[in-house]
PDB file of all heavy atoms in Angstrom:
ATOM      1  N   PRO U 178       1.172  10.158  17.213  1.00 98.00           N
ATOM      2  CA  PRO U 178       0.122   9.132  17.257  1.00 98.00           C
ATOM      3  C   PRO U 178      -0.982   9.438  18.266  1.00 98.00           C
ATOM      4  O   PRO U 178      -2.136   9.028  18.078  1.00 98.00           O
ATOM      5  CB  PRO U 178       0.883   7.861  17.657  1.00 98.00           C
ATOM      6  CG  PRO U 178       2.279   8.097  17.166  1.00 98.00           C
ATOM      7  CD  PRO U 178       2.526   9.560  17.342  1.00 98.00           C
ATOM      8  N   LEU U 181      -4.740  10.746  17.451  1.00 98.00           N
ATOM      9  CA  LEU U 181      -5.814   9.895  16.923  1.00 98.00           C
ATOM     10  C   LEU U 181      -6.807   9.558  18.027  1.00 98.00           C
ATOM     11  O   LEU U 181      -6.426   9.143  19.121  1.00 98.00           O
ATOM     12  CB  LEU U 181      -5.235   8.604  16.346  1.00 98.00           C
ATOM     13  CG  LEU U 181      -4.405   8.748  15.073  1.00 98.00           C
ATOM     14  CD1 LEU U 181      -3.661   7.458  14.789  1.00 98.00           C
ATOM     15  CD2 LEU U 181      -5.283   9.138  13.891  1.00 98.00           C
ATOM     16  N   VAL U 205      -3.303  -0.352   8.314  1.00 98.00           N
ATOM     17  CA  VAL U 205      -2.529   0.835   8.692  1.00 98.00           C
ATOM     18  C   VAL U 205      -1.259   0.855   7.847  1.00 98.00           C
ATOM     19  O   VAL U 205      -0.440  -0.068   7.911  1.00 98.00           O
ATOM     20  CB  VAL U 205      -2.178   0.806  10.189  1.00 98.00           C
ATOM     21  CG1 VAL U 205      -1.330   2.026  10.566  1.00 98.00           C
ATOM     22  CG2 VAL U 205      -3.447   0.768  11.032  1.00 98.00           C
ATOM     23  N   ASP U 209      -0.388   6.588   6.104  1.00 96.00           N
ATOM     24  CA  ASP U 209      -1.319   7.064   7.132  1.00 96.00           C
ATOM     25  C   ASP U 209      -0.577   7.872   8.199  1.00 96.00           C
ATOM     26  O   ASP U 209      -1.098   8.872   8.710  1.00 96.00           O
ATOM     27  CB  ASP U 209      -2.031   5.895   7.805  1.00 96.00           C
ATOM     28  CG  ASP U 209      -2.877   5.072   6.851  1.00 96.00           C
ATOM     29  OD1 ASP U 209      -3.166   5.557   5.743  1.00 96.00           O
ATOM     30  OD2 ASP U 209      -3.248   3.950   7.217  1.00 96.00           O
ATOM     31  N   THR U 210       0.627   7.432   8.543  1.00 96.00           N
ATOM     32  CA  THR U 210       1.399   8.176   9.541  1.00 96.00           C
ATOM     33  C   THR U 210       1.867   9.514   8.972  1.00 96.00           C
ATOM     34  O   THR U 210       1.962  10.494   9.697  1.00 96.00           O
ATOM     35  CB  THR U 210       2.601   7.351  10.035  1.00 96.00           C
ATOM     36  OG1 THR U 210       3.566   7.196   8.999  1.00 96.00           O
ATOM     37  CG2 THR U 210       2.162   5.980  10.520  1.00 96.00           C
ATOM     38  N   ARG U 213      -1.198  11.799   9.178  1.00 96.00           N
ATOM     39  CA  ARG U 213      -1.435  12.215  10.562  1.00 96.00           C
ATOM     40  C   ARG U 213      -0.395  13.209  11.069  1.00 96.00           C
ATOM     41  O   ARG U 213      -0.683  14.121  11.847  1.00 96.00           O
ATOM     42  CB  ARG U 213      -1.419  10.974  11.463  1.00 96.00           C
ATOM     43  CG  ARG U 213      -1.775  11.178  12.912  1.00 96.00           C
ATOM     44  CD  ARG U 213      -0.891  10.328  13.807  1.00 96.00           C
ATOM     45  NE  ARG U 213       0.472  10.770  13.850  1.00 96.00           N
ATOM     46  CZ  ARG U 213       1.523  10.014  13.631  1.00 96.00           C
ATOM     47  NH1 ARG U 213       1.404   8.733  13.317  1.00 96.00           N
ATOM     48  NH2 ARG U 213       2.758  10.539  13.699  1.00 96.00           N
ATOM     49  N   TYR U 267     -10.572   4.494   8.160  1.00 98.00           N
ATOM     50  CA  TYR U 267     -10.693   4.273   9.605  1.00 98.00           C
ATOM     51  C   TYR U 267     -12.106   4.686  10.050  1.00 98.00           C
ATOM     52  O   TYR U 267     -12.297   5.627  10.803  1.00 98.00           O
ATOM     53  CB  TYR U 267      -9.689   5.118  10.374  1.00 98.00           C
ATOM     54  CG  TYR U 267      -8.222   4.805  10.223  1.00 98.00           C
ATOM     55  CD1 TYR U 267      -7.728   3.945   9.252  1.00 98.00           C
ATOM     56  CD2 TYR U 267      -7.298   5.406  11.078  1.00 98.00           C
ATOM     57  CE1 TYR U 267      -6.371   3.697   9.126  1.00 98.00           C
ATOM     58  CE2 TYR U 267      -5.947   5.159  10.967  1.00 98.00           C
ATOM     59  CZ  TYR U 267      -5.483   4.305   9.988  1.00 98.00           C
ATOM     60  OH  TYR U 267      -4.129   4.065   9.874  1.00 98.00           O
ATOM     61  N   ALA U 461      -5.709   2.722  17.400  1.00 98.00           N
ATOM     62  CA  ALA U 461      -5.014   3.220  16.204  1.00 98.00           C
ATOM     63  C   ALA U 461      -3.725   3.935  16.564  1.00 98.00           C
ATOM     64  O   ALA U 461      -2.723   3.828  15.846  1.00 98.00           O
ATOM     65  CB  ALA U 461      -5.933   4.143  15.413  1.00 98.00           C
ATOM     66  N   SER U 462      -3.719   4.690  17.650  1.00 98.00           N
ATOM     67  CA  SER U 462      -2.501   5.396  18.038  1.00 98.00           C
ATOM     68  C   SER U 462      -1.367   4.417  18.326  1.00 98.00           C
ATOM     69  O   SER U 462      -0.205   4.653  17.953  1.00 98.00           O
ATOM     70  CB  SER U 462      -2.761   6.292  19.257  1.00 98.00           C
ATOM     71  OG  SER U 462      -3.242   5.535  20.346  1.00 98.00           O
ATOM     72  N   GLU U 463      -1.695   3.295  18.972  1.00 98.00           N
ATOM     73  CA  GLU U 463      -0.682   2.268  19.229  1.00 98.00           C
ATOM     74  C   GLU U 463      -0.183   1.659  17.920  1.00 98.00           C
ATOM     75  O   GLU U 463       1.016   1.402  17.754  1.00 98.00           O
ATOM     76  CB  GLU U 463      -1.258   1.176  20.128  1.00 98.00           C
ATOM     77  CG  GLU U 463      -0.352  -0.026  20.344  1.00 98.00           C
ATOM     78  CD  GLU U 463       0.966   0.307  21.027  1.00 98.00           C
ATOM     79  OE1 GLU U 463       1.082   1.396  21.646  1.00 98.00           O
ATOM     80  OE2 GLU U 463       1.894  -0.522  20.949  1.00 98.00           O
ATOM     81  N   ALA U 464      -1.087   1.426  16.985  1.00 98.00           N
ATOM     82  CA  ALA U 464      -0.682   0.902  15.679  1.00 98.00           C
ATOM     83  C   ALA U 464       0.278   1.851  14.990  1.00 98.00           C
ATOM     84  O   ALA U 464       1.285   1.426  14.399  1.00 98.00           O
ATOM     85  CB  ALA U 464      -1.913   0.671  14.810  1.00 98.00           C
ATOM     86  N   HIS U 465       0.003   3.160  15.045  1.00 98.00           N
ATOM     87  CA  HIS U 465       0.894   4.144  14.425  1.00 98.00           C
ATOM     88  C   HIS U 465       2.250   4.169  15.125  1.00 98.00           C
ATOM     89  O   HIS U 465       3.295   4.282  14.470  1.00 98.00           O
ATOM     90  CB  HIS U 465       0.242   5.524  14.453  1.00 98.00           C
ATOM     91  CG  HIS U 465      -0.731   5.742  13.338  1.00 98.00           C
ATOM     92  ND1 HIS U 465      -0.741   6.880  12.556  1.00 98.00           N
ATOM     93  CD2 HIS U 465      -1.731   4.959  12.844  1.00 98.00           C
ATOM     94  CE1 HIS U 465      -1.703   6.795  11.650  1.00 98.00           C
ATOM     95  NE2 HIS U 465      -2.325   5.643  11.816  1.00 98.00           N
ATOM     96  N   ARG U 466       2.263   4.091  16.455  1.00 98.00           N
ATOM     97  CA  ARG U 466       3.541   4.074  17.179  1.00 98.00           C
ATOM     98  C   ARG U 466       4.388   2.879  16.754  1.00 98.00           C
ATOM     99  O   ARG U 466       5.594   3.005  16.516  1.00 98.00           O
ATOM    100  CB  ARG U 466       3.300   4.014  18.692  1.00 98.00           C
ATOM    101  CG  ARG U 466       2.780   5.293  19.309  1.00 98.00           C
ATOM    102  CD  ARG U 466       2.761   5.208  20.831  1.00 98.00           C
ATOM    103  NE  ARG U 466       2.009   6.330  21.385  1.00 98.00           N
ATOM    104  CZ  ARG U 466       0.728   6.280  21.725  1.00 98.00           C
ATOM    105  NH1 ARG U 466       0.060   5.130  21.584  1.00 98.00           N
ATOM    106  NH2 ARG U 466       0.109   7.337  22.199  1.00 98.00           N
ATOM    107  N   ARG U 467       3.764   1.725  16.670  1.00 97.00           N
ATOM    108  CA  ARG U 467       4.510   0.526  16.306  1.00 97.00           C
ATOM    109  C   ARG U 467       5.021   0.595  14.875  1.00 97.00           C
ATOM    110  O   ARG U 467       6.151   0.192  14.580  1.00 97.00           O
ATOM    111  CB  ARG U 467       3.637  -0.705  16.518  1.00 97.00           C
ATOM    112  CG  ARG U 467       3.435  -1.026  17.988  1.00 97.00           C
ATOM    113  CD  ARG U 467       2.425  -2.113  18.224  1.00 97.00           C
ATOM    114  NE  ARG U 467       2.732  -3.347  17.500  1.00 97.00           N
ATOM    115  CZ  ARG U 467       1.977  -4.438  17.561  1.00 97.00           C
ATOM    116  NH1 ARG U 467       0.871  -4.434  18.289  1.00 97.00           N
ATOM    117  NH2 ARG U 467       2.304  -5.510  16.887  1.00 97.00           N
ATOM    118  N   LEU U 468       4.207   1.106  13.976  1.00 95.00           N
ATOM    119  CA  LEU U 468       4.626   1.211  12.583  1.00 95.00           C
ATOM    120  C   LEU U 468       5.794   2.179  12.452  1.00 95.00           C
ATOM    121  O   LEU U 468       6.775   1.903  11.748  1.00 95.00           O
ATOM    122  CB  LEU U 468       3.457   1.658  11.717  1.00 95.00           C
ATOM    123  CG  LEU U 468       3.698   1.703  10.206  1.00 95.00           C
ATOM    124  CD1 LEU U 468       4.147   0.346   9.688  1.00 95.00           C
ATOM    125  CD2 LEU U 468       2.447   2.161   9.477  1.00 95.00           C
ATOM    126  N   GLU U 469       5.714   3.310  13.122  1.00 95.00           N
ATOM    127  CA  GLU U 469       6.801   4.291  13.046  1.00 95.00           C
ATOM    128  C   GLU U 469       8.062   3.807  13.749  1.00 95.00           C
ATOM    129  O   GLU U 469       9.161   4.270  13.446  1.00 95.00           O
ATOM    130  CB  GLU U 469       6.339   5.625  13.638  1.00 95.00           C
ATOM    131  CG  GLU U 469       5.304   6.327  12.766  1.00 95.00           C
ATOM    132  CD  GLU U 469       4.839   7.658  13.328  1.00 95.00           C
ATOM    133  OE1 GLU U 469       4.585   7.745  14.546  1.00 95.00           O
ATOM    134  OE2 GLU U 469       4.722   8.614  12.536  1.00 95.00           O
TER     135      GLU U 469
END
Side-chain angles (χ1 to χ4, degrees):
L181 291 168
V205 178
D209 298 344
T210 69
R213 186 219 70 232
Y267 293 11
S462 58
E463 174 62 18
H465 278 227
R466 288 188 192 96
R467 288 172 55 180
L468 185 57
E469 290 180 317

